[in-house]
Amino acid sequence: MTTADVAHLEKVTGAVEVAESAERRGAKPKRRRWELTAVGVVLAAVFLVPFIVMVLGSLKSRPEILRIPPTYFPESWHPDNYATMWDTPETPLAFNMASTVIISVFATVLVLLVAIPAAYYTARHKFPGRAVFLGLVLVTQMLQPTVLVTGLIREFFAIGINDTWLAMILVNAAFNLSFAVWILHSFFASIPVEIEEAAMLDGLSRWQTLVRVSLPLVWPGIVTATIFVVVSCWNEFAASLVVLTTAENQPLSVALTKFIGQYDTSWQYVFAISTVGIIPVVILFAFIEKRLVAGLTAGSVK
């Protein structure tokens, strides 16, 4: 074997070793990716099982739900549960759904209209007592509507809005405002002030700078606050039970309890109403998730 042949053999051997090493390095990330995928599937299954049980229960008859041992899938499917639940005269579910949507939407809009300028001001102005103010804002989050419900009812009677949607809109907005201000304050504070100064040098006013520059940069924070407030208003129960006494004005969370009695519970309707109740929230998450990802890069490049 000549020297040229030996050199060629060494070159081929080295290339093979390099290829094998690269293949091993590629196999490790691929295996790790499969492991993470498996863990994700298991966690998703754990969180989805209660919802699957709820949906399947809504398609069963009441005797089948109470059967021991239980059945996992309905032996006889009852999709008519979703139709008959709306016909209950004591519980006007159509009005309850409308009440839930109206209270949640308007309370969220009110919170954002107040929280955005408040958070922007606290992030950009170092006024005396700012730390104390932000601390008090956080402390108010520890209070629950049930603690103040007596005083709230007296106030609502005094101004004549008791048992109205407006009363619950104000209650939900008041008790979710502190969290929204705190979250948005952190997002506004993370924006370099030089970006806003450059915008104002280009001729933008303070308000225009907030709308056209700062808001696109804090869009993920706005989405986070929106999701929190909507879900909190959608699930609010205690204050609604006391403040709203008319059946048509009550939200879905209160109407659901009317199907649960001391001696008898219509579980098929409880599951069906719960399923219908979470659909708008799921749609909101699916719709707003894209905006959350887009907001991570929007604004700073413009």
Side-chain angles (χ1 to χ4, degrees):
M1 183 179 295
T2 63
T3 304
D5 294 335
V6 173
H8 178 70
L9 180 61
E10 291 177 350
K11 185 183 295 185
V12 172
T13 304
V16 172
E17 291 177 352
V18 170
E20 291 177 351
S21 177
E23 186 178 355
R24 286 194 298 270
R25 288 196 301 270
K28 182 178 291 186
K30 187 175 182 180
R31 184 172 62 252
R32 184 175 300 173
R33 186 163 55 248
W34 277 105
E35 292 173 353
L36 292 176
T37 301
V39 173
V41 170
V42 172
L43 291 176
V46 171
F47 285 104
L48 287 176
V49 163
F51 296 98
I52 295 173
V53 171
M54 179 180 66
V55 173
L56 293 177
S58 68
L59 297 171
K60 296 179 180 180
S61 63
R62 183 177 178 276
E64 187 176 354
I65 294 175
L66 300 177
R67 183 181 302 172
I68 298 176
T71 57
Y72 294 100
F73 293 95
E75 293 182 355
S76 60
W77 297 81
H78 290 271
D80 54 296
N81 290 337
Y82 287 92
T84 56
M85 71 180 187
W86 302 98
D87 298 330
T88 308
E90 300 84 3
T91 309
L93 289 179
F95 290 96
N96 300 138
M97 176 63 78
S99 177
T100 305
V101 173
I102 292 173
I103 291 173
S104 300
V105 170
F106 281 93
T108 303
V109 171
L110 181 59
V111 167
L112 293 179
L113 288 176
V114 177
I116 289 175
Y120 181 74
Y121 185 86
T122 57
R124 287 291 178 258
H125 297 82
K126 295 183 179 180
F127 55 89
R130 185 180 70 161
V132 176
F133 170 76
L134 292 174
L136 290 175
V137 167
L138 189 62
V139 168
T140 58
Q141 187 65 29
M142 302 177 185
L143 300 175
Q144 294 297 320
T146 50
V147 178
L148 306 175
V149 68
T150 303
L152 290 173
I153 291 178
R154 294 186 62 182
E155 292 291 334
F156 294 151
F157 270 112
I159 60 180
I161 62 171
N162 188 58
D163 192 20
T164 62
W165 288 340
L166 177 59
M168 282 310 305
I169 289 172
L170 295 176
V171 169
N172 283 307
F175 283 94
N176 289 289
L177 181 61
S178 57
F179 178 84
V181 170
W182 188 267
I183 287 295
L184 292 173
H185 168 83
S186 302
F187 277 86
F188 279 119
S190 65
I191 301 175
V193 69
E194 291 79 10
I195 295 179
E196 296 181 353
E197 292 175 349
M200 285 186 284
L201 286 176
D202 289 337
L204 296 182
S205 64
R206 173 67 71 177
W207 178 254
Q208 289 174 327
T209 302
L210 169 62
V211 174
R212 299 176 60 180
V213 178
S214 299
L215 286 186
L217 293 174
V218 300
W219 184 245
I222 296 175
V223 171
T224 302
T226 300
I227 291 174
F228 175 86
V229 175
V230 169
V231 173
S232 178
C233 296
W234 195 271
N235 296 327
E236 206 289 320
F237 171 75
S240 299
L241 180 64
V242 178
V243 174
L244 300 177
T245 56
T246 303
E248 288 77 7
N249 292 339
Q250 292 174 337
L252 207 60
S253 58
V254 177
L256 180 65
T257 62
K258 297 181 181 180
F259 291 89
I260 302 175
Q262 183 176 2
Y263 302 104
D264 188 16
T265 300
S266 301
W267 288 111
Q268 71 277 20
Y269 296 139
V270 172
F271 289 142
I273 297 171
S274 300
T275 302
V276 172
I278 68 172
I279 289 176
V281 179
V282 172
I283 294 175
L284 172 66
F285 271 83
F287 175 78
I288 214 167
E289 184 267 340
K290 299 179 182 178
R291 274 66 182 175
L292 175 61
V293 176
L296 295 175
T297 55
S300 59
V301 183
K302 297 181 180 179

